Amino acid sequence: MDIDDWREEIDRIDLELLELLNRRSRCAIEIGYIKHRMGLPIYSPSRETEILENVTRNNRGPLENDAVRRLFERIIDESRRAERLVVESLKENSSDSSDAAEGN
Amino acid sequence: MIVVMQQRATEEEISQVIEKLLKLGFDPYRSTGASLSIIAGVGNCFVDVREIEMMAGVRKVIRVSTPYKLASREIHPTDTTFAIGNGEFKIGAGYFSVFAGPAAIESEVELEALCDLVKNFGTGVLRSRATLQLEDGRIVGLGKDSWKLLRKYADRFQLYAASEVNYPEELSQAAEYLDVIEISASHNHEFLRQIGMLGKPTLLVRAPETTIEQTLISAEQILSAGNDRVIICDRAVRTVQGGSTIDIDSILKLKKISHLPLALDASAAANRKDRVAAYAAAALVAGVDVLLIELYSESGTGEAARALAAEDFAVLITQLKGIAKILGRQNICM
């Protein structure tokens, strides 16, 4: 395989990764809804540690564990943000509807 | 904002910082390095960095964006120019003006004599402080009562009136009599916001010992109240030898960071009349848009050692006009 073949392979993998990351993000959003319903905080440090341990334990390389950790830290940061946006929009909606109720 | 954790920071300490950043409205982005962890807080939030710096396990906090967005060139890259009064008298880019008058008003006779001088040399703005503490400790000036006199003579001589406000309860009177409000940047933020709500051109005076950043944060309070006509006025800084001097570097820095017009209170900075001309000329070359100069008349009890007599003022104004012309300040508002 020449350099163009490898680059095509990378492009294919990127699209798979993108699909997987979005699937993962949808899970985080669902969790955001549940957390909001149950009044749980968005940030759960023990769960984040668990995720990092899970991926580094199962890492078979060639990525080093530190590299895997840094990559997943970024994924976790974005999931946390996705959850926060869900919870915030739900809070805004609920305050809007209570404002409307007061107006009536 | 970037939070750098100490090498031996525990997982719990890192979690506490992430939690704090979330609470403040940031999205935290964590990066674990070989020896230390870094957490970037992304978001447009105001925060006192000391709150984070004091947390366990934190080595240092680096602020990336400024806490004075409205005053900075980040969102307003070009110089601000605005008008005083009916719109003909401009302050800012391309313009240069002098605010002159007695350091503090003590009598109507004195004011009348000085108005003649201000009018003859076309400086446009009649300025006086409410009170002034003399070298011998005496406090002179009629306080807020001097505003009525300023207004009366400003109208008679077709000048604009500028004076300082020190107390919140004086605000409505100040708005009635003055065209330009002078205020110390050391006042609390609530008072500064109230000044901003007056909507009058405001001369914000940097207090001694305060940093450029603190002065810009004070300007931010006035701007955030909806008043964008703010001039930042520099004064003297202390020297190592115990004297005072003007800080040319801070004028250059302020010009670079902020789009607001700059002024120098040349008389207060020099504190003796034989230095006023040199300070004024140096500041003009450095880029100030407005100079504040105190005048002295025989009938006043102000400081003859600090305020300029008529002849000296005449010479200085001629020199300043010449320098302004060389600098390409074609629209000299004097």
Side-chain angles (χ1 to χ4, degrees):
Chain A
M1 284 203 345
D2 63 15
I3 197 162
D4 286 339
D5 298 327
W6 287 115
R7 282 182 174 160
E8 270 173 37
E9 175 70 358
I10 283 179
D11 287 345
R12 268 192 300 275
I13 295 171
D14 281 348
L15 292 180
E16 281 175 41
L17 273 174
L18 181 66
E19 176 54 33
L20 288 169
L21 287 169
N22 274 321
R23 258 177 68 193
R24 191 186 189 285
S25 182
R26 276 191 285 274
C27 297
I29 288 168
E30 290 303 325
I31 290 174
Y33 283 115
I34 297 169
K35 280 182 177 171
H36 175 69
R37 240 189 350 258
M38 298 177 72
L40 295 171
I42 295 162
Y43 181 45
S44 170
S46 58
R47 173 62 188 150
E48 292 187 4
T49 309
E50 209 174 274
I51 293 169
L52 293 170
E53 278 172 5
N54 181 34
V55 289
T56 46
R57 198 175 46 241
N58 288 291
N59 177 33
R60 280 176 284 157
L63 276 175
E64 290 172 355
N65 270 356
D66 283 351
V68 170
R69 188 188 164 86
R70 284 193 294 273
L71 286 169
F72 274 82
E73 276 175 354
R74 200 75 329 100
I75 292 170
I76 291 169
D77 290 332
E78 292 301 342
S79 297
R80 200 193 299 120
R81 179 178 150 78
E83 281 184 31
R84 180 179 69 75
L85 292 176
V86 166
V87 171
E88 265 171 23
S89 73
L90 288 172
K91 272 185 188 160
E92 261 171 41
N93 287 340
S94 67
S95 70
D96 283 354
S97 57
S98 66
D99 285 350
E102 276 168 28
N104 295 331
Chain B
M1 170 182 18
I2 295 164
V3 184
V4 183
M5 300 301 293
Q6 288 165 359
Q7 278 195 15
R8 268 171 263 154
T10 63
E11 197 54 37
E12 198 187 338
E13 286 166 346
I14 294 171
S15 301
Q16 278 163 355
V17 172
I18 292 176
E19 199 157 352
K20 179 81 178 173
L21 290 176
L22 276 164
K23 218 174 263 174
L24 289 167
F26 287 100
D27 277 314
Y29 286 79
R30 176 180 175 172
S31 186
T32 307
S35 59
L36 41 81
S37 288
I38 288 169
I39 305 154
V42 178
N44 198 11
C45 319
F46 280 100
V47 62
D48 186 340
V49 291
R50 292 174 302 181
E51 277 191 55
I52 315 282
E53 274 168 350
M54 286 187 290
M55 293 182 76
V58 172
R59 188 171 134 197
K60 65 175 170 180
V61 180
I62 302 156
R63 192 153 49 195
V64 179
S65 63
T66 57
Y68 39 83
K69 291 187 171 32
L70 298 173
S72 89
R73 288 190 189 270
E74 270 178 35
I75 60 162
H76 195 304
T78 56
D79 287 339
T80 282
T81 304
F82 57 78
I84 296 180
N86 61 13
E88 281 170 25
F89 194 92
K90 297 262 176 59
I91 302 278
Y95 298 90
F96 167 65
S97 49
V98 172
F99 294 5
I105 297 168
E106 298 211 64
S107 72
E108 210 164 330
V109 185
E110 175 199 13
L111 187 61
E112 190 167 9
L114 293 179
C115 279
D116 244 355
L117 198 57
V118 174
K119 187 68 187 174
N120 282 341
F121 290 98
T123 65
V125 176
L126 179 66
R127 178 255 179 187
S128 164
R129 238 175 263 173
T131 56
L132 176 75
Q133 184 162 22
L134 304 179
E135 288 283 318
D136 63 13
R138 277 182 302 143
I139 292 175
V140 294
L142 300 173
K144 64 181 165 56
D145 291 336
S146 58
W147 299 342
K148 267 186 223 165
L149 287 177
L150 269 181
R151 180 77 271 147
K152 181 176 162 186
Y153 283 89
D155 287 345
R156 185 179 294 176
F157 286 83
Q158 290 177 301
L159 298 164
Y160 293 109
S163 190
E164 67 174 339
V165 177
N166 288 313
Y167 306 101
E169 56 271 23
E170 298 174 344
L171 282 176
S172 60
Q173 247 184 310
E176 191 183 339
Y177 294 116
L178 303 175
D179 301 302
V180 179
I181 307 279
E182 182 175 330
I183 175 119
S184 167
S186 63
H187 283 297
N188 67 55
H189 289 177
E190 182 49 38
F191 187 27
L192 292 169
R193 272 193 290 273
Q194 287 176 12
I195 290 280
M197 280 187 262
L198 289 182
K200 294 256 182 185
T202 302
L203 189 71
L204 181 74
V205 184
R206 181 180 171 192
E209 326 279 332
T210 50
T211 63
I212 289 174
E213 188 171 68
Q214 286 164 332
T215 308
L216 288 167
I217 291 171
S218 294
E220 193 74 5
Q221 309 310 315
I222 300 172
L223 294 164
S224 64
N227 183 1
D228 53 6
R229 293 191 290 174
V230 178
I231 307 163
I232 295 182
C233 181
D234 213 349
R235 291 179 69 180
V237 289
R238 305 247 187 280
T239 63
V240 185
Q241 289 82 12
S244 64
T245 186
I246 49 168
D247 185 356
I248 292 287
D249 195 55
S250 78
I251 293 171
L252 298 173
K253 274 187 192 139
L254 276 164
K255 261 276 172 267
K256 193 171 167 128
I257 299 170
S258 176
H259 56 89
L260 297 171
L262 289 185
L264 175 81
D265 187 343
S267 296
N271 203 30
R272 41 187 283 179
K273 65 182 170 192
D274 59 353
R275 289 183 183 161
V276 171
Y279 277 23
L284 173 57
V285 174
V288 301
D289 307 283
V290 178
L291 284 166
L292 272 55
I293 293 168
E294 291 169 7
L295 304 176
Y296 176 74
S297 89
E298 291 296 332
S299 52
T301 50
E303 286 187 295
R306 164 163 147 172
L308 293 190
E311 317 81 73
D312 297 331
F313 184 59
V315 172
L316 176 58
I317 292 294
T318 311
Q319 288 175 346
L320 292 176
K321 280 186 176 172
I323 296 170
K325 207 168 169 188
I326 293 168
L327 293 171
R329 306 275 189 96
Q330 287 169 356
N331 303 302
I332 303 167
C333 251
M334 316 203 297

